[in-house]
Amino acid sequence: TRESLAALAEELPAVAAALQRFTYDRMLQNLMIRNPLFRPFTRAQQRDLLRRFTSHDVVPGTVIINEGDPGTGLFLVLSGAVEVAKGGGDESTPLATLRAGEVFGEMSLLRQEAATATVVASEQSTVLFLSRDYVDRMVANIPAVREYLAALAEDRELDTQLALASDDEAEDDGSVVIFF
C-alpha cells in the first residue's frame, strides 16, 4: 500500500531515492507520450531531447519568467503548477494556470522579443528548461516543432487579448452608451 511504501521509505533512504527516481522517470515517459513537442521524434530522439533539458525544483512564489525580460529558453511543467499573469502588482491580470505537461516561454522565443507575461510557481513544482539556442535550432530545422509552438503562441495571444478585454470591462463603471 501507499502507507507501507511511505513507512519503508522513511526507514530506508535507498528505497526513498529509488521511489523518487521511478516517479521522476514515469513523469518523463508520460510527458514524451502526451506532449506534442515530442511527436516528431523517434523514441531514441525523444530521450536524447529530454537529456538536453535541465530539471529545476521550484517552491511556491518562485518567479520563473519575468514579464519584460528576454526569453532564455523553453519551459515544460513536469509536476506542480505555475500561474501566468500580465502586468504587475495590483494591476496584474491572471491569464492561465499551467500544469504537468504544459509548455511556456514559446512566445518570446518565436518572436525574438521580451517575455509578455510573468510566470510564477503556484505550488511546489518541477520545471524542465531547454536553452534558447537549442530551441532555435529545433524551430529552424523541424517544421512540426515550429508549427506546434507557433500555434500555441497564437492561441495564447488570443487568450491574453480576451483576458485583458474582459479585465477592462470589469473595471468599467457599468454605464451604457448607445450611439445612433
Side-chain angles (χ1 to χ4, degrees), residues 16-175:
L19 287 172
Q20 186 175 21
R21 185 67 198 169
F22 173 80
T23 302
Y24 184 81
D25 288 345
R26 178 60 61 98
M27 287 188 295
L28 289 176
Q29 288 173 2
N30 288 339
L31 182 68
M32 286 189 306
I33 291 167
R34 293 186 188 145
N35 191 288
L37 180 66
F38 296 93
R39 285 193 188 127
F41 303 100
T42 66
R43 194 79 161 150
Q45 290 170 327
Q46 288 175 346
R47 285 191 294 271
D48 182 57
L49 177 56
L50 271 176
R51 282 195 275 285
R52 296 177 188 280
F53 281 87
T54 57
S55 179
H56 305 272
D57 293 323
V58 291
V59 297
T62 301
V63 175
I64 302 166
I65 294 178
N66 196 26
E67 184 176 348
D69 287 352
T72 57
L74 188 69
F75 295 85
L76 281 161
V77 180
L78 185 60
S79 66
V82 299
E83 297 291 330
V84 183
K86 187 144 182 76
D90 295 337
E91 301 297 316
S92 179
T93 301
L95 300 176
T97 299
L98 304 178
R99 301 199 178 278
E102 295 190 84
V103 175
F104 61 98
E106 77 289 340
M107 291 175 81
S108 62
L109 296 176
L110 291 175
R111 298 175 181 171
Q112 304 291 319
E113 298 174 349
T116 59
T118 297
V119 181
V120 178
S122 57
E123 59 187 60
Q124 180 68 35
S125 302
T126 300
V127 295
L128 302 177
F129 172 77
L130 186 62
S131 72
R132 173 183 209 102
D133 293 339
Y134 198 79
V135 175
D136 287 346
R137 287 196 313 256
M138 280 195 328
V139 167
N141 294 303
I142 305 165
V145 170
R146 179 178 48 254
E147 291 164 9
Y148 164 65
L149 293 176
L152 183 61
E154 185 178 320
D155 287 347
R156 289 192 172 152
E157 179 64 30
L158 290 172
D159 290 344
T160 298
Q161 290 172 7
L162 290 172
L164 293 175
S166 64
D167 196 40
D168 288 343
E169 289 172 10
E171 293 175 7
D172 192 0
D173 64 359
S175 62

Side-chain angles (χ1 to χ4, degrees), residues 5-22:
L5 281 175
L8 186 61
E10 274 187 41
E11 290 182 31
L12 299 170
V15 171
L19 287 172
Q20 186 175 21
R21 185 67 198 169
F22 173 80

